[in-house]
């Protein structure tokens, strides 16, 4: 089992788009996959067409200790989903539990997750208690980096957040970057690419995800890119990225 936190404290870089489409791509490649929505915005379930009113989810697992099986829904063939649940926002205000609060996800999901080949956790755009839970539960982190100027600024902050959490909690995860919203012909995109390769040598996945209109449209229909437009660049890129992740193919 490989468990990835899809994480970047910067908003709108493509975390949820990547979590949805990579989860489906890896499932389509013949693996048993679980996607967990750790963002109170609930975008992961919405993008898969599975957001419901008064929904239970990972919130109930973390706050009340309910069995993860009871809040897991079948999303697609070989792809299960644990939605955020209405109360996930309460986690950020949870005061009891001290340092243990950071280990709630790890301790509640480990046994359940072991039946899957891949688990992807979609994180919120913040570095609070939910992000800490993701980082402590996952052995690997998938960091989407978009091809704009502010992405670079956010990167050094992200590195500091990782360093701080990992040093204070004596943990370490393997970090991988995926370039998102990539516009090949822009010089800026090349700058971003070179900079992330310096920050994360041999840990930038080979396939950048190109800026693709269909990727922005498909969540509005509750469809993954493979259901919405299987022939577009975005579908091709996420299918290729799935192979990169499975086989460890990186940029040189
Ligand atoms: N490769 C792409 N091409 C075109 N649009 C994209 C691409 N990737 C993401 N988008 C669009 O960019 C916006 C932000 O993407 P997304 O919601 O995946 O980011 P996020 O990091 O999860 O955001 P948040 O921080 O709010 O959780 C969305 O409207 C999405 O449809
Ligand atoms: Mg998101």
């Amino acid at each position: 089992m490989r468990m990835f936190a899809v994480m970047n404290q910067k908003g709108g870089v493509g975390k949820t788009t990547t979590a949805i489409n990579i989860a489906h791509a890896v499932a389509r490649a013949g693996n048993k996959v679980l996607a967990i929505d750790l963002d109170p915005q609930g975008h992961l379930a919405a993008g898969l067409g599975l957001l419901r009113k008064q929904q239970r989810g990972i919130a109930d697992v973390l706050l009340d200790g309910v069995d993860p099986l009871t809040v897991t829904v079948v999303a697609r063939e070989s792809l299960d989903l644990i939605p955020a649940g209405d109360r996930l926002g309460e986690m950020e205000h949870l005061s009891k539990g001290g340092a243990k609060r950071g280990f709630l996800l790890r301790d509640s999901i480990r046994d359940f997750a072991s039946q899957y080949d891949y688990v992807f956790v979609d994180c919120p755009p913040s570095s609070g208690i939910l992000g800490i839970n993701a980082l402590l539960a996952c052995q690997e982190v998938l960091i989407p980096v978009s091809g704009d100027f502010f992405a670079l600024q956010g990167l050094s902050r992200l590195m500091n957040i990782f360093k701080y959490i990992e040093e204070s909690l004596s943990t370490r995860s393997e970090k991988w970057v995926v370039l998102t919203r990539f516009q090949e012909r822009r010089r800026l995109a090349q700058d971003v690419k070179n900079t992330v390769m310096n920050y994360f040598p041999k840990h930038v996945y080979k396939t950048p995800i190109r800026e693709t209109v269909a990727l922005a449209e498909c969540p509005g229909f509750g469809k993954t890119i493979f259901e919405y437009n299987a022939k577009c660049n975005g579908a091709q890129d996420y299918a290729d990225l799935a192979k990169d992740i499975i086989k460890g193919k990186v940029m040189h």
Side-chain angles (χ1 to χ4, degrees):
M1 193 268 287
R2 291 175 71 186
M3 188 159 172
F4 289 83
V6 183
M7 197 166 186
N8 191 333
Q9 93 287 350
K10 187 177 179 325
V13 293
K15 293 181 289 294
T16 303
T17 305
T18 297
I20 290 172
N21 293 300
I22 205 61
H24 199 199
V26 171
R28 282 163 50 97
N31 299 284
K32 198 163 180 236
V33 180
L34 173 67
I36 301 176
D37 194 349
L38 206 61
D39 185 346
Q41 296 181 103
H43 288 169
L44 188 66
L48 285 163
L50 291 167
L51 188 65
R52 303 280 179 265
K53 286 211 175 93
Q54 295 180 346
Q55 195 161 39
R56 298 202 325 148
I58 199 69
D60 304 85
V61 175
L62 301 176
L63 294 164
D64 297 337
V66 313
D67 184 345
L69 178 65
T70 64
V71 294
T72 301
V73 295
V74 175
R76 301 293 188 273
E77 194 183 337
S78 297
L79 172 58
D80 289 351
L81 166 74
I82 301 184
D86 297 337
R87 296 169 56 215
L88 191 57
E90 291 176 26
M91 273 292 287
E92 297 287 0
H93 310 294
L94 194 68
S95 52
K96 65 171 198 272
K100 284 207 185 108
R101 285 183 313 155
F103 293 92
L104 288 171
L105 181 65
R106 189 193 75 177
D107 293 345
S108 58
I109 210 75
R110 196 164 29 186
D111 290 344
F112 180 71
S114 66
Q115 64 182 296
Y116 294 91
D117 300 315
Y118 287 85
V119 180
F120 296 96
V121 181
D122 186 27
C123 295
S126 67
S127 51
I129 193 69
L130 289 168
I132 292 173
N133 268 276
L135 212 51
L136 292 172
C138 298
Q139 304 74 41
E140 298 180 69
V141 184
L142 184 59
I143 308 167
V145 175
S146 58
D148 60 274
F149 171 72
F150 294 113
L152 290 181
Q153 287 208 319
L155 214 53
S156 59
R157 216 186 127 222
L158 185 66
M159 299 300 280
N160 287 333
I161 293 169
F162 285 144
K163 195 161 170 263
Y164 175 73
I165 295 175
E166 293 189 338
E167 277 175 8
S168 50
L169 294 167
S170 311
T171 162
R172 211 183 131 55
S173 50
E174 188 140 27
K175 301 180 190 61
W176 306 95
V177 171
V178 51
L179 293 167
T180 56
R181 314 206 61 166
F182 199 71
Q183 291 176 289
E184 227 158 2
R185 285 198 287 269
R186 282 199 184 174
R187 219 191 78 195
L188 184 59
Q190 298 302 328
D191 289 348
V192 172
K193 179 170 139 182
N194 293 333
T195 307
V196 291
M197 282 174 71
N198 279 334
Y199 269 100
F200 300 93
K202 298 204 193 109
H203 281 76
V204 181
Y205 280 127
K206 196 159 187 268
T207 309
I209 308 301
R210 285 168 284 182
E211 179 81 18
T212 311
V213 175
L215 279 172
E217 290 170 348
C218 60
F221 298 88
K223 291 183 172 175
T224 73
I225 197 63
F226 304 102
E227 298 158 341
Y228 184 70
N229 184 347
K231 294 209 168 99
C232 71
N233 288 343
Q236 180 69 58
D237 292 346
Y238 276 112
D240 287 346
L241 178 65
K243 290 185 203 147
D244 295 351
I245 290 176
I246 292 165
K247 297 189 174 144
K249 279 193 257 169
V250 293
M251 282 186 191
H252 288 287

